[in-house]
Amino acid sequence: MLLACLTWFATSFSAYASGAKLPEPEVKIDVLYRPFLCHRKTKLGDMLLVHYEGFLESNGTMFHSSRILGDKHPVWFTLGIREVIKGWDRGLQNMCVGEKRKLTIPPTLGYGKEGKGKIPPESTLIFDIELMEIRNGPRSHESFQEMDLNDDWKLSKEEVKEYLRKEFERHGYPANSTHHEVMVEDIFKKEDEDNDGFISAREFTYKHDEL
Ligand SMILES: [Ca+2]
Ligand SMILES: [Ca+2]
């Protein structure tokens, strides 16, 4: 115990001294099955359809199974926008359809100090996850590339305005450039986090905090 404390202190101190963030626990990823054919791998911003079982590491209790409980359907979510716990956002990248993974997720990347429902506070979680399908998310790189007309990996106000114009036209609305200007300003207020006048690929794809 003392040794553990000393190690912890030494690690914290060196992190503090070097100005770096405290080292954060990681998700442990075990690939249980990887299909031979893999046309596409998951990336941040994709929509994923998964079946999963969740267990408490402490006593092996299964707290959820998408196959057995609820409507027994697999679930959709968007990767990398904190729609799910951090452990999933981090642990389900570069995954092929048909692939099965076991994730061991420390509490800080799961439900933390509070816990949730059947999950007690400070629980390490184990998930068996099978990826059923991948789709382009609304904040996928494909959508970004479509909007980025000059391929410089950032969206200018003009590009966003042009995108809005096309979208409105596609849905049969009359063009109203004053309205679009207002919308563009509003979008940039929310999305251009570093205020450099452009929406970068990163600002576009990562909706919330960093993973
Ligand atoms: Ca651009
Ligand atoms: Ca920016």
Side-chain angles (χ1 to χ4, degrees), residues 143-155 159:
S143 310
F144 183 86
Q145 281 170 329
E146 204 180 300
M147 295 169 78
D148 180 21
L149 302 174
N150 65 353
D151 291 324
D152 67 350
W153 285 96
K154 51 191 190 181
L155 303 177
E159 285 169 332

Side-chain angles (χ1 to χ4, degrees), residues 92-130:
L92 298 177
Q93 299 178 33
N94 295 312
M95 196 171 177
C96 308
V97 171
E99 186 172 325
K100 290 178 192 170
R101 285 186 184 179
K102 177 180 157 186
L103 302 183
T104 306
I105 299 177
T108 46
L109 303 177
Y111 294 100
K113 291 192 184 85
E114 270 87 58
K116 192 190 176 192
K118 293 180 193 168
I119 299 164
E122 299 290 0
S123 296
T124 297
L125 307 175
I126 295 178
F127 286 97
D128 282 331
I129 302 181
E130 180 176 3

